[in-house]
Amino acid sequence: MTVQLNETHDASLRSWVTTANQAGTDFPLQNLPYGVFRRQGSNQAFRIGVAIGDQVLDLAAAHAAHAFAGYTELQGGHFTSAVNASNLNALMGLGTPVWSALRLALSRVLREGASQQGALQACLLAQTVAEFALPAHIGDYTDFYTSVHHATAVGKLFRPDNPLLPNYKWVPIGYHGRASSIGVSGQQFRRPVGQTKPPTSETPVFGPAKRMDYEMEIGIFIGPGNALGDVINMDKAESHIFGLCLLNDWSARDVQAWEYQPLGPFLAKNFASTISPWVVTLEALAPYRLAWTRDAEDPQPMAYLDAPDLRESGAFDIQLEVLLQTEKMRTEGAPAERLSLSNFRHSYWTIAQLVTHHTVNGCNLNPGDLLGSGTQSGPLAEEAGSLLELTEGGKKPLTFSNGEQRVFMEDGDAIIMRGWTQKDGWARIGFGEVVGTLLPART
Ligand code: CA
């Protein structure tokens, strides 16, 4: 299950794209995440790109320049059509041997001293003049609920007498979400309108949602799928995962509170969700894996959700930061302010467990399907991944350095999420960011 460390992870590697060697870059040579881009304002078709420093390498152009000659896995029609596509679905479907060979080839041709530098220089575009599209056509989207800290905190607000339901520690809780309204970073959307029931009223009212919130999540892009009826077992689960991105699962809490029983989230969640443009592969994340643990007093995972590698390296050390920039801050040129900092290591279930559980009944996944991790809140109050938790259900306002206060989002607010990982002896790699802005409700 665990991806092996290899020469591509060597922290001493440097790129001839010099911005990739700068301390603090999200995209050093050791990362090489994939996205879909074109020149801003052009009518070109979107193309597959790889982030390197402050540049994007055009994958189809690099292939045409023979950057991948000599790798048997990177020859033939399937590979050529996958890198020439306008989304990542076909490449996602090709599987680990191809992804791994491509990572090795990219690492070698982008290294200092590579003979391909001259040919590949022309395949770069500065990220500042690129625009991005969704990395894949997302056929199906499922959102999980893997932070026990989030589930307990939210449970307390919605059901004070019964915060954590008895199934939580046995079954990875999830629901089928809506793929059509998922957008890429930069997404702007209108405050949703719907039914809510104020606590002071006997009957519901209709109007713009008042308790607009975000959820800091990790997105999991599926690689090769499974046939309907087949199960993806734990020992194979990670070979069906192409990589991870950042995901903001926007949530209208007042709509959610009124509609969620008995079938779960519906219109409170499906008006917009925003993901980062870059997908970081599991191979890039190999050095930053952690032991996954389950408290001795908690139920241990059932056999189908257990595996030898799980406890050794099932978790990921990914820092997750959320910032808010109000319209006033933006107008005055003031930077966004941090709301929280947490870590994906606190997740109660691993990404492999999510894939196995999703398919245990024979449900088929397809390349480009997206799984959400659920809000990643850590054990401390300041590690909460939503305003609902940070403001204790809207009771404790947050105050910013310019004096503005928030309990939930106001029109014009932008939420910025960032993710990165670092470890002594290894490169720091990042996910870039995902930004989304709330516009006023339609009138
Ligand atoms: Ca969610």
Side-chain angles (χ1 to χ4, degrees):
M1 173 168 102
T2 308
V3 175
Q4 299 298 312
L5 296 174
N6 55 48
E7 67 175 71
T8 66
H9 300 102
D10 183 346
S12 68
L13 293 179
R14 291 169 60 85
S15 175
W16 53 261
V17 180
T18 54
T19 51
N21 307 323
Q22 289 171 358
T25 179
D26 278 342
F27 309 117
L29 189 54
Q30 293 82 358
N31 191 351
L32 303 173
Y34 295 94
V36 166
F37 77 104
R38 70 178 174 194
R39 184 180 283 277
Q40 250 171 34
S42 76
N43 293 320
Q44 297 162 354
F46 281 96
R47 306 166 70 81
I48 297 175
V50 178
I52 178 77
D54 63 358
Q55 304 288 308
V56 190
L57 178 76
D58 183 323
L59 201 62
H63 186 42
H66 309 292
F68 314 129
Y71 297 82
T72 51
E73 299 87 350
L74 310 183
Q75 310 305 319
H78 286 305
F79 177 73
T80 298
S81 68
V83 298
N84 278 282
S86 57
N87 60 44
L88 286 165
N89 294 69
L91 185 63
M92 288 169 162
L94 291 180
T96 307
V98 172
W99 307 336
S100 202
L102 185 54
R103 174 178 167 83
L104 179 61
L106 287 165
S107 172
R108 287 178 176 166
V109 297
L110 289 168
R111 276 179 212 173
E112 265 180 1
S115 62
Q116 294 89 348
Q117 176 177 349
L120 294 186
Q121 207 95 48
C123 306
L124 295 175
L125 182 70
Q127 287 172 28
T128 49
V129 296
E131 62 178 304
F132 297 91
L134 281 177
H137 169 73
I138 301 168
D140 279 300
Y141 163 53
T142 302
D143 199 19
F144 284 93
Y145 201 50
T146 69
S147 165
V148 69
H149 308 291
H150 174 73
T152 305
V154 171
K156 263 182 203 151
L157 295 166
F158 281 55
R159 298 175 304 275
D161 51 328
N162 191 14
L164 195 68
L165 296 170
N167 57 2
Y168 188 86
K169 292 184 172 182
W170 291 96
V171 57
I173 301 294
Y175 70 96
H176 286 121
R178 182 90 196 156
S180 66
S181 51
I182 301 175
V184 75
S185 183
Q187 189 175 25
Q188 303 192 340
F189 59 93
R190 291 194 176 275
R191 179 184 292 273
V193 169
Q195 278 197 35
T196 60
K197 196 184 84 62
T200 50
S201 166
E202 278 298 303
T203 54
V205 299
F206 184 79
K210 292 193 170 67
R211 291 159 71 95
M212 265 302 301
D213 201 355
Y214 61 84
E215 294 189 333
M216 168 84 237
E217 305 196 14
I218 288 283
I220 301 153
F221 268 109
I222 297 299
N226 58 309
L228 182 62
D230 285 356
V231 179
I232 300 175
N233 290 318
M234 280 290 286
D235 62 339
K236 295 281 190 303
E238 288 197 358
S239 66
H240 291 265
I241 297 173
F242 178 74
L244 309 182
C245 66
L246 303 174
L247 163 64
N248 185 343
D249 178 25
W250 304 101
S251 300
R253 299 301 181 192
D254 43 355
V255 175
Q256 184 180 359
W258 172 233
E259 75 172 8
Y260 89 105
Q261 287 180 320
L263 284 186
F266 182 34
L267 301 182
K269 300 274 192 176
N270 71 358
F271 52 90
S273 315
T274 316
I275 64 172
S276 59
W278 298 114
V279 184
V280 177
T281 63
L282 291 197
E283 190 170 354
L285 291 164
Y288 318 98
R289 303 192 62 132
L290 297 169
W292 176 85
T293 56
R294 178 57 54 84
D295 287 352
E297 60 267 26
D298 278 4
Q300 298 306 299
M302 285 187 181
Y304 80 95
L305 292 175
D306 212 339
D309 286 348
L310 173 71
R311 286 156 208 274
E312 190 189 318
S313 59
F316 292 85
D317 179 13
I318 301 172
Q319 297 272 69
L320 300 171
E321 182 186 34
V322 184
L323 305 100
L324 186 148
Q325 190 180 42
T326 66
E327 196 159 20
K328 184 165 187 278
M329 292 176 195
R330 207 157 46 244
T331 308
E332 294 174 353
E337 295 192 22
R338 179 186 281 183
L339 299 179
S340 67
L341 181 66
S342 188
N343 194 298
F344 192 38
R345 70 194 303 165
H346 300 302
S347 180
Y348 197 80
W349 301 101
T350 69
I351 59 173
Q353 287 171 322
L354 301 186
V355 168
T356 294
H357 184 67
H358 204 309
T359 60
V360 74
N361 63 348
C363 174
N364 51 331
L365 301 178
N366 290 300
D369 282 0
L370 184 69
L371 312 184
S373 64
T375 310
Q376 293 303 302
S377 299
L380 304 175
E382 62 268 27
E383 294 173 325
S386 68
L387 285 172
L388 183 70
E389 294 158 86
L390 289 171
T391 67
E392 296 177 20
K395 291 197 285 289
K396 277 178 57 177
L398 306 173
T399 304
F400 298 106
S401 55
N402 67 359
E404 284 185 286
Q405 291 195 319
R406 289 290 182 274
V407 283
F408 289 101
M409 292 178 67
E410 308 260 333
D411 294 347
D413 285 355
I415 294 290
I416 300 125
M417 297 176 173
R418 297 179 183 143
W420 68 90
T421 178
Q422 56 197 359
K423 183 177 166 184
D424 283 348
W426 302 92
R428 173 200 184 280
I429 68 171
F431 285 73
E433 59 181 31
V434 54
V435 184
T437 308
L438 177 65
L439 304 176
R442 199 175 294 280
T443 50

